[in-house]
Amino acid sequence: MREEVYSGSIQRIEVMGTDDDDDFPWVEEDEYRELYKQMVLARKFDEKAFSLQRRGEISTYAPHKGQEAAQIGAMFALDEDDWMAPSFRETAAFIARGAPLDKIFQRWMGDANGQAGLSEMNTLPVAIPVGTQNLHTAGIGMAMEKKGDENAVLGFTGDGSTSQGDFHESLNFSGVYNAHSIFFVQNNQYAISMPREKQTKSETIAQKALAYGIDGIQVDGNDILAVIKAVEEALEKARSGEPVLIEAETYRLEDHTTSDDSTRYRDEEEVEEWSKKDPLKRFKEYLKDHGIWTDELEEFEEEAENRIDEAAQKAIEMDDPDIEELFDYVYGDNPDLIEKQKEQWMEAQK
Amino acid sequence: MTEKMNIVEAINAALHDEMEENEDVIVYGEDVGEDGGVFRATKELQEEFGEERCFSSPLAESGIAGTAIGMSLYGFNPVVEMQFSGFSYLAFHQIKEHAARFRMRSRGDYTSPITVRAPYGGGINALEHHQESPETFFAHSKGIHTVIPSTPQDAYSLLRKSIQKEDPVMFLEPKKTYRAFKEEVDRDKKVELNDCRIAQEGNDLTLISWGAMIPLAEEAAEEVDADIEIIDVRTIQPNDYDEIVESIEKTGRAAILHEDSKTGGMGGDIAGKLQEDAILHMEAPVERITAPDVPYPLYTLEEEYMPDKDQVVNGIREVLEF
Ligand SMILES: Cc1ncc(C[n+]2csc(CCOP(=O)(O)OP(=O)(O)O)c2C)c(N)n1
């Protein structure tokens, strides 16, 4: 005898330009404008970081151009007492979270002090190893459940990271322990040169959730309203101990990092196709269509540029950390060995 | 016949030549296929040998190392790439607990002749975790060879030897010097693993180092008014370090230079060996010139972290003047 013991399906959320848009307005008009401004700031940050990298002020930068809707939409849905665990491309998410722009530049300029103070915003520092931070997202979500808190944690991760064992362990732990966790995969179609179809044979990334007994949903990641809707739905579940995996389908419009050359592995036509779905352009048109666009938004471009320039300048002018900072923060209470080495190193510099 | 190459080119050539010579040699890892690897070490291998033998794998270090072990048990000779050694920890379990132990566990029935390549070390202003020097972790994993070349010739010859070895090899590539200089590489030159190389002969002091610290050692040696012998360790483990003992019998003085931090760094092991086997020839304590015992910092503090010429010169002088 054979019988079907399981079958599952995955849904996709889109809003802009669909019937779902009938619910307009989703959020306050001011909030629409605020979202747009954050997207502009994030875009300008990217451009500035690029030119600073070319000038040698930044060593390596990982651009987020094209992923602003995914990151800013997700962050918009969170409350202040919700937590956020980034991977390395989440500069737009940091901006949306309210991290000071100069601090974000400071970290990209190789100074860890740019990451000081994040705990005040329930935000973890950037995780450079691919995928490992998902377990922290799971653990934070498990802790929320155990403490009986009614908040949630959203962790960002990439399509490439879904191949890592840590990713699968994260989903599994979250499911078993009713973690308040949302795994937000930005499927930007490439992990460096690896196209999404070669990364995994599954048709969607969202369906990976099903194997772990948790919810999976796909969303148009270039549609900021769809992202907000998806994350809001997920939050409702996660806050009561039902973890969710969200796959936001988006596209990295730039190179992987400033050390990469994406023309080696993808063709211009593809990039052009996706440029038409540029989340910033789309949102701008949407705001115009819905009569929310104002002159102030038109002028904001320049203001954003100025704010970004100022922040960058401030970060450039910041002193590099002192040598003694090498030895600080290694332990809470520095052991004698480290104190002695600190003295030696400082002495040698004189 | 010789050809001028830098270290990355030499690695590429070694991979190419091994693939050509032995069709069981396959090359994979993150972005190694079409992209040719983020440092271009696997450039054009896919074009030449096809996707069956050179391919980009999913992004999973444990997966890469673990499947390489499986493939090797079934007759292949995989050479896999960890994109950066700082991410090899995700594969560490597979390398240390499995690759290293198959021979012992099966009483010699099985071997896992994988070669795991990884760019390692600092000095290139990279992001966090892209600058680590993890050689002692692998040195501590008995059953594997941990090899670090410092010149294009050694990169070529040692990599070929590593691939041919019937044991697992961790092949750490000093990425700071990947493209720093070229030298004539003789493709016929064979080099054995597990031996040191005398990089420069001298009578007054033995300076022991490896990887990207070798050029620094050479610069520093020029600066002091003494006749310095430089030994390039090349194979971190297993290595009986007898060349070093012999050298000390001649010079009577030793300094060890490495970019890993001091505590738990290989310098301690080498110093231990010298005090066991050469103490009666020594005229001064062994000096270790290393990074401090702190995590590798973000790059604004990188120069302070990595040993520099002044530190090496001062270290050498201290031993000479003892
Ligand atoms: C454990 C680990 N392996 C390899 C790398 C090198 N690396 C950095 S980003 C990246 C691709 C990541 O792809 P994805 O998860 O899709 O995120 P995206 O870069 O597309 O945002 C790789 C291989 C790393 N940082 N960490």
Side-chain angles (χ1 to χ4, degrees):
Chain A
M1 192 194 81
R2 274 166 212 267
E3 59 181 331
E4 185 166 276
V5 291
Y6 179 80
S7 80
S9 75
I10 289 296
Q11 294 185 345
R12 177 182 170 93
I13 300 181
E14 293 175 20
V15 171
M16 289 185 187
T18 71
D19 293 347
D20 266 352
D21 202 14
D22 292 349
D23 290 341
F24 179 86
W26 285 88
V27 295
E28 305 284 320
E29 290 203 0
D30 277 357
E31 290 179 324
Y32 280 110
R33 294 191 194 104
E34 180 51 33
L35 284 167
Y36 180 79
K37 285 183 182 178
Q38 286 180 4
M39 286 170 88
V40 173
L41 267 179
R43 183 63 60 94
K44 299 281 177 206
F45 188 104
D46 232 37
E47 287 166 6
K48 186 72 186 179
F50 252 88
S51 69
L52 290 176
Q53 195 276 338
R54 299 291 183 246
R55 275 169 41 194
E57 297 283 357
I58 287 176
S59 163
T60 311
Y61 178 72
H64 55 249
K65 183 177 175 186
Q67 300 181 221
E68 292 90 346
Q71 295 184 18
I72 292 168
M75 296 313 290
F76 176 82
L78 297 193
D79 286 342
E80 271 177 15
D81 65 347
D82 293 325
W83 283 53
M84 188 276 260
S87 125
F88 48 83
R89 202 184 291 288
E90 275 65 72
T91 302
F94 275 97
I95 291 173
R97 193 64 159 169
L101 297 168
D102 56 321
K103 290 263 199 178
I104 309 176
F105 275 119
Q106 190 183 5
R107 190 194 64 81
W108 280 115
M109 290 175 185
D111 179 353
N113 289 316
Q115 294 189 139
L118 288 177
S119 65
E120 286 159 30
M121 338 177 191
N122 296 330
T123 296
L124 301 192
V126 165
I128 301 283
V130 171
T132 50
Q133 81 284 1
N134 289 307
L135 284 164
H136 315 153
T137 305
I140 291 167
M142 285 161 63
M144 288 169 171
E145 170 73 5
K146 277 200 192 303
K147 292 206 166 170
D149 291 344
E150 284 180 6
N151 53 354
V153 51
L154 181 139
F156 286 98
T157 201
D159 43 299
S161 80
T162 65
S163 294
Q164 290 280 14
D166 279 5
F167 173 77
H168 295 274
E169 294 176 26
S170 305
L171 299 188
N172 196 45
F173 270 75
S174 298
V176 169
Y177 296 108
N178 304 323
H180 294 205
S181 308
I182 299 172
F183 299 92
F184 189 90
V185 180
Q186 288 177 86
N187 171 6
N188 66 3
Q189 312 301 330
Y190 286 89
I192 309 190
S193 69
M194 184 64 134
R196 141 77 184 84
E197 310 77 59
K198 287 191 179 173
Q199 189 68 248
T200 169
K201 204 163 182 177
S202 56
E203 225 164 288
T204 67
I205 284 173
Q207 78 201 56
K208 290 180 190 287
L210 303 182
Y212 299 99
I214 71 176
D215 272 351
I217 193 145
Q218 194 184 66
V219 60
D220 178 346
N222 283 13
D223 171 345
I224 192 164
L225 302 181
V227 172
I228 294 169
K229 189 176 166 68
V231 176
E232 279 179 350
E233 281 180 19
L235 277 167
E236 206 165 303
K237 289 185 183 144
R239 288 190 172 123
S240 58
E242 291 177 57
V244 181
L245 171 65
I246 298 176
E247 172 188 10
E249 267 214 310
T250 178
Y251 195 79
R252 158 162 67 72
L253 289 170
E254 264 297 343
D255 292 336
H256 167 70
T257 63
T258 44
S259 333
D260 175 46
D261 170 11
S262 59
T263 59
R264 267 200 304 260
Y265 53 81
R266 64 185 193 188
D267 52 44
E268 237 171 84
E269 280 161 44
E270 182 187 291
V271 183
E272 259 168 46
E273 265 323 292
W274 276 95
S275 298
K276 291 181 195 152
K277 295 184 235 170
D278 179 335
L280 192 59
K281 279 194 246 162
R282 269 177 82 182
F283 197 44
K284 183 174 183 172
E285 274 158 34
Y286 180 90
L287 296 184
K288 285 187 169 166
D289 288 350
H290 288 75
I292 303 177
W293 189 258
T294 58
D295 287 349
E296 189 219 357
L297 286 184
E298 201 74 63
E299 286 151 22
F300 185 73
E301 292 251 337
E302 206 181 307
E303 184 189 327
E305 220 157 282
N306 291 338
R307 277 172 60 186
I308 293 288
D309 284 349
E310 267 167 43
Q313 199 50 37
K314 198 166 157 195
I316 291 168
E317 282 162 17
M318 252 174 242
D319 288 336
D320 281 354
D322 292 331
I323 293 169
E324 59 178 295
E325 289 188 36
L326 267 181
F327 301 88
D328 296 339
Y329 314 111
V330 180
Y331 298 96
D333 190 5
N334 250 355
D336 288 348
L337 169 76
I338 305 294
E339 280 300 311
K340 269 188 224 151
Q341 287 192 1
K342 179 169 164 179
E343 275 165 37
Q344 264 176 19
W345 251 258
M346 307 223 339
E347 191 60 36
Q349 289 300 314
K350 282 185 190 149
Chain B
M1 211 196 57
T2 68
E3 195 183 322
K4 269 201 167 219
M5 297 180 195
N6 62 32
I7 290 179
V8 193
E9 288 162 350
I11 286 162
N12 184 255
L15 290 169
H16 175 276
D17 294 353
E18 278 302 311
M19 288 180 90
E20 196 164 64
E21 209 145 283
N22 177 358
E23 60 179 42
D24 288 332
V25 174
I26 52 170
V27 169
Y28 65 100
E30 293 155 17
D31 303 287
V32 307
E34 205 170 24
D35 205 32
V38 292
F39 288 103
R40 306 273 89 80
T42 56
K43 194 174 147 190
E44 285 163 20
L45 296 178
Q46 185 172 76
E47 265 166 55
E48 176 145 5
F49 298 101
E51 257 188 77
E52 285 295 314
R53 294 188 60 203
C54 176
F55 53 91
S56 294
S57 74
L59 207 178
E61 286 74 13
S62 180
I64 293 166
T67 56
I69 293 170
M71 307 254 312
S72 73
L73 296 171
Y74 203 73
F76 279 100
N77 200 343
V79 186
V80 293
E81 179 175 296
M82 297 286 126
Q83 202 154 73
F84 289 90
S85 65
F87 305 125
S88 64
Y89 308 118
L90 284 85
F92 188 58
H93 177 79
Q94 286 291 345
I95 296 169
K96 178 178 168 65
E97 300 295 28
H98 294 297
R101 300 177 75 103
F102 256 100
R103 186 188 291 278
M104 192 206 72
R105 184 186 283 158
S106 68
R107 314 280 43 167
D109 280 355
Y110 287 110
T111 60
S112 184
I114 63 171
T115 303
V116 180
R117 298 179 32 247
Y120 96 106
I124 62 159
N125 281 6
L127 300 170
E128 209 182 348
H129 308 287
H130 290 69
Q131 312 257 74
E132 271 59 13
S133 294
E135 63 266 31
T136 46
F137 290 93
F138 297 103
H140 196 262
S141 313
K142 307 305 165 336
I144 67 178
H145 304 261
T146 299
V147 179
I148 302 180
S150 74
T151 65
Q153 178 69 61
D154 272 359
Y156 177 83
S157 300
L158 288 169
L159 181 54
R160 290 205 65 176
K161 194 52 130 191
S162 300
I163 298 171
Q164 290 159 11
K165 263 274 177 249
E166 282 293 304
D167 294 319
V169 177
M170 194 69 207
F171 195 84
L172 296 171
E173 301 166 2
K175 62 176 176 291
K176 183 177 189 317
T177 49
Y178 256 165
R179 296 193 155 76
F181 58 95
K182 289 196 177 206
E183 73 174 18
E184 293 291 342
V185 172
D186 176 358
R187 284 172 122 113
D188 292 324
K189 184 168 175 191
K190 302 226 169 4
V191 175
E192 292 304 317
L193 299 190
N194 320 117
D195 284 338
C196 301
R197 172 180 75 99
I198 311 284
Q200 171 177 316
E201 291 197 30
N203 291 308
D204 297 339
L205 177 144
T206 308
L207 180 55
I208 302 145
S209 194
W210 52 90
M213 292 291 102
I214 292 290
L216 181 66
E218 287 166 346
E219 267 178 59
E222 292 235 331
E223 200 102 325
V224 286
D225 191 18
D227 191 16
I228 310 290
E229 180 143 302
I230 299 176
I231 297 193
D232 177 359
V233 166
R234 295 203 295 201
T235 301
I236 299 301
Q237 150 77 16
N239 185 336
D240 63 14
Y241 294 119
D242 280 351
E243 287 100 328
I244 298 178
V245 173
E246 275 166 39
S247 175
I248 302 306
E249 287 171 1
K250 178 173 71 175
T251 65
R253 295 170 198 268
I256 305 165
L257 163 65
H258 62 62
E259 59 176 286
D260 189 8
S261 50
K262 181 168 275 182
T263 302
M266 279 310 287
D269 269 70
I270 295 170
K273 165 86 176 169
L274 291 180
Q275 91 89 31
E276 274 175 4
D277 292 353
I279 190 89
L280 297 178
H281 299 276
M282 308 248 308
E283 289 166 45
V286 181
E287 176 85 12
R288 285 180 289 164
I289 305 148
T290 71
D293 291 324
V294 303
Y296 203 104
L298 297 202
Y299 65 82
T300 46
L301 284 175
E302 173 170 54
E303 277 176 31
E304 279 69 31
Y305 176 87
M306 280 190 67
D308 63 17
K309 191 164 74 183
D310 286 349
Q311 271 169 288
V312 185
V313 168
N314 290 340
I316 296 174
R317 287 206 177 119
E318 233 163 84
V319 182
L320 286 169
E321 286 160 16
F322 179 79

